[in-house]
Each structure stands twice: as C-alpha cells, then as structure tokens.
Amino acid sequence: MSAKVCKTLISEEEIKEKIIEMGQRIAKDYAGKNLFVIGILKGSIIFLSDLVRAIPIPLKMDFMAVSSYGASTQTSGVVRILKDLETDLTDKDVLIVEDIVDTGLTLSYLIDNLRSRNPKSLNICTFLDKPSRRKATIELEYNGFEIPDEFVVGYGLDFNEEFRNLPYIGIVEITK
Ligand code: IMP
Ligand code: MG
C-alpha cells in the first residue's frame, strides 16, 4: 500500500490567517480566566504550537495521547489513554485542542473523561471538522475549517505516521 498527496485542500496562507483569527477570539474569550490548553498527541502538535503563539494572554499547557486509527483510515471506536496529563484540572478553564473531529468518538470519550476531573470549564478547539461522518454529537466552540469526507494529511495529520510535516492540508490518494 502506498500513499501520495494528490491535491492541496487548505494552503499555508489560509492556515496562517485562520490561526490569527482563532487566537484572537480565544484570547478575548479567556481574558482574566485560567486558560489551560490540552493538546491531543500527536496530530494536534503543529496546530497547537502555532495557535498558542497567536493567543496573547497567559496560559498553561499539557498533553494527552490516545489511541487512534493505526495504519487504517477507519475509526475503531475504541479509545485508550496512552499518555495522561501531569496536572490536576480543578479550577482550570480547559481548552482541548484537536487536529480533526471525524466520527467524534475520540473526543466524546475524552470530554467525559476530562469532565469527571472537575475543571471549571471545558471547551473544544479543533483545526478541522469533518461533519459528514459524525457519530457522536459534540459542541465545537472553536472550529478552523469544515472539510468534506476525504482523508487529509499535513499540518500534524498523518497517514500511517507519514506527512505530518507538510505545511498545508492535502488530500491523500491511497493505492494498493
Ligand atoms: P474520530 O474519533 O473519528 O473523530 O477521529 C479522531 C482522530 O482520527 C483524529 O484525531 C485523527 O488522528 C484521526 N483522523 C480522522 N480523520 C482523519 C483524516 O482525514 N486524516 C488524518 N487523521 C484523521
Ligand atoms: Mg492520527
């Protein structure tokens, strides 16, 4: 099986503009609050590292890793925590940062799990939203781009661990 990027869906320029816009909105909404950003590894790292630098207010961050698709492009529905937070969430205004919401099953599990740790507030910030395949209803407070039902890579997103370093979002073509 091999994969190659066949088309650019979102350019580097469009991403840059969107990050500034999202950062400004988050800074305004969280001014005077106790902003605690949780990045979901590994897909969100590029987005998160650009986003936090566009949020001109104090914040802290931590990371979680959960199991995802592995080498397939289908979700298993089974979510496993591979790396947990190092911080207690009590009194924190938590913002979960995700690369993409597809079926929503991963986030749905994470939201329940993190809510049970009693944060002061909990919101979601996703770079991409693929609403056509949603299986769990999730409120996305901050949402970069809505995309069609295509498998995309780049800007942190992978296919079989490849393509995370592309500075744009591309559509992948898989050949057997
Ligand atoms: P969900 O549980 O179906 O919402 O999927 C969540 C995870 O699946 C994301 O955090 C990604 O790691 C992965 N994923 C879903 N769609 C794509 C895609 O188009 N490209 C790369 N990874 C994806
Ligand atoms: Mg992934």
Side-chain angles (χ1 to χ4, degrees):
M1 190 163 57
S2 74
K4 66 174 203 287
V5 176
C6 61
K7 192 182 151 196
T8 300
L9 187 64
I10 306 167
S11 72
E12 220 176 321
E13 272 315 303
E14 289 174 285
I15 294 175
K16 283 200 177 111
E17 276 175 33
K18 184 65 76 176
I19 297 287
I20 293 168
E21 188 190 307
M22 292 177 94
Q24 292 293 332
R25 225 189 103 204
I26 291 168
K28 198 164 144 263
D29 294 351
Y30 284 87
K33 294 190 177 172
N34 198 4
L35 178 55
F36 191 78
V37 174
I38 298 178
I40 309 303
L41 299 172
K42 306 172 214 169
S44 76
I45 58 153
I46 312 272
F47 172 49
L48 180 130
S49 62
D50 280 346
L51 182 70
V52 291
R53 285 177 291 178
I55 304 175
I57 60 165
L59 61 82
K60 290 181 181 169
M61 55 181 135
D62 200 351
F63 298 90
M64 278 180 95
V66 295
S67 62
S68 75
Y69 297 170
S72 150
T73 59
Q74 293 297 307
T75 191
S76 64
V78 179
V79 182
R80 228 162 22 103
I81 294 181
L82 306 175
K83 184 221 172 289
D84 208 340
L85 300 172
E86 292 166 9
T87 336
D88 185 86
L89 296 184
T90 317
D91 292 331
K92 296 195 168 69
D93 292 298
V94 170
L95 186 62
I96 304 177
V97 175
E98 255 287 29
D99 53 355
I100 183 167
V101 184
D102 184 17
T103 63
L105 294 172
T106 309
L107 256 188
S108 166
Y109 170 86
L110 273 174
I111 291 167
D112 286 350
N113 183 291
L114 295 176
R115 269 219 183 100
S116 73
R117 305 185 197 192
N118 299 315
K120 197 169 180 188
S121 66
L122 182 70
N123 276 322
I124 312 293
C125 175
T126 186
F127 179 59
L128 302 177
D129 177 19
K130 215 194 266 183
S132 52
R133 305 207 326 149
R134 198 63 41 83
K135 286 186 183 148
T137 310
I138 288 168
E139 202 181 315
L140 302 174
E141 191 70 29
Y142 307 96
N143 183 356
F145 299 92
E146 197 172 292
I147 63 162
D149 186 11
E150 302 271 11
F151 198 82
V152 294
V153 293
Y155 203 63
L157 290 107
D158 73 304
F159 172 73
N160 212 0
E161 294 302 322
E162 251 190 282
F163 308 112
R164 291 195 198 273
N165 59 323
L166 295 180
Y168 57 90
I169 292 289
I171 295 177
V172 133
E173 194 180 69
I174 299 152
T175 46
K176 298 252 176 325

